[in-house]
Amino acid sequence: MKITVLCVGKIKEKYFTLGIDEYTKRLSRYCKLEIIEVPDEKTPDNASENEELQIKAKEGDKLLRYIKDNAYVIALAIEGKMLTSEELSEKMEQLGVNGDSNVVFVIGGSLGLDKRILDRADYKLSFSKMTFPHQMMRMVLLEQVYRGYRIMKGEPYHK
């Protein structure tokens, strides 16, 4: 299975980079992983709702360039479905069984995802009703995908 993490913005904090690198290395034995970053748009302080929509649209344009027609798209969205680690593992396993071998997880920028990305998504996944920095979510997502593979293979993992 090929898993792509498509995200807005760069990782600036070294501690996130170290964690992401570690899970990237661990995942290499289970899947082909690609991380694609698109530049984020600067959001002015006190941006209007219209300005925020325009920023999300520009980021959405950049993200859509990387989403192929045959991809199974999972958008990380606060309004998505919350799953346990076991349920995410089952979801990933089912995708493989169904022949969906190109899975794209999309992480938006500080304003979230453009409506077109959410509409294109085959599945919306939420990690919490809380908002997290997109840099942190990248590491959390990779850890959960890794945990999902460990569960799938019947290998030990910490509960």
Side-chain angles (χ1 to χ4, degrees):
M1 179 177 284
K2 179 182 180 198
I3 294 182
T4 302
V5 178
L6 178 57
C7 39
V8 174
K10 294 212 174 291
I11 301 293
K12 297 173 183 91
E13 296 85 355
K14 185 174 182 174
Y15 52 92
F16 286 137
T17 303
L18 291 170
I20 289 164
D21 290 347
E22 177 63 26
Y23 286 110
T24 298
K25 185 175 81 177
R26 291 182 187 192
L27 279 165
S28 67
R29 61 186 285 229
Y30 298 105
C31 64
K32 183 176 188 289
L33 176 68
E34 180 179 25
I35 298 175
I36 299 172
E37 297 174 335
V38 302
D40 57 344
E41 294 291 321
K42 299 295 177 234
T43 305
D45 291 339
N46 302 318
S48 69
E49 186 177 332
N50 191 42
E51 286 174 309
E52 288 186 358
L53 288 173
Q54 289 174 353
I55 289 167
K56 288 198 296 189
K58 286 179 185 175
E59 290 174 348
D61 289 340
K62 295 174 194 176
L63 292 168
L64 285 167
R65 288 185 200 129
Y66 291 98
I67 299 175
K68 295 182 174 72
D69 290 343
N70 67 340
Y72 187 92
V73 177
I74 300 176
L76 271 62
I78 204 163
E79 67 273 13
K81 183 166 172 42
M82 285 191 242
L83 301 176
T84 65
S85 297
E86 292 81 7
E87 289 169 334
L88 179 60
S89 178
E90 289 170 20
K91 175 85 177 153
M92 291 168 28
E93 187 170 32
Q94 195 58 49
L95 289 171
V97 168
N98 293 344
D100 291 310
S101 60
N102 185 14
V103 178
V104 179
F105 288 93
V106 185
I107 303 173
S110 60
L111 299 175
L113 290 168
D114 182 60
K115 183 181 182 320
R116 293 170 298 157
I117 302 293
L118 295 172
D119 290 345
R120 167 61 180 89
D122 297 291
Y123 193 85
K124 293 175 193 73
L125 176 65
S126 175
F127 279 81
S128 173
K129 291 191 184 301
M130 291 184 256
T131 302
F132 295 99
H134 57 89
Q135 299 94 331
M136 183 183 293
M137 280 316 304
R138 194 181 313 184
M139 188 173 71
V140 171
L141 172 64
L142 291 175
E143 188 280 333
Q144 285 297 301
V145 170
Y146 171 71
R147 184 178 297 260
Y149 275 109
R150 301 280 295 184
I151 293 168
M152 213 183 298
K153 305 289 185 191
E155 297 170 354
Y157 68 99
H158 298 288
K159 292 187 178 194

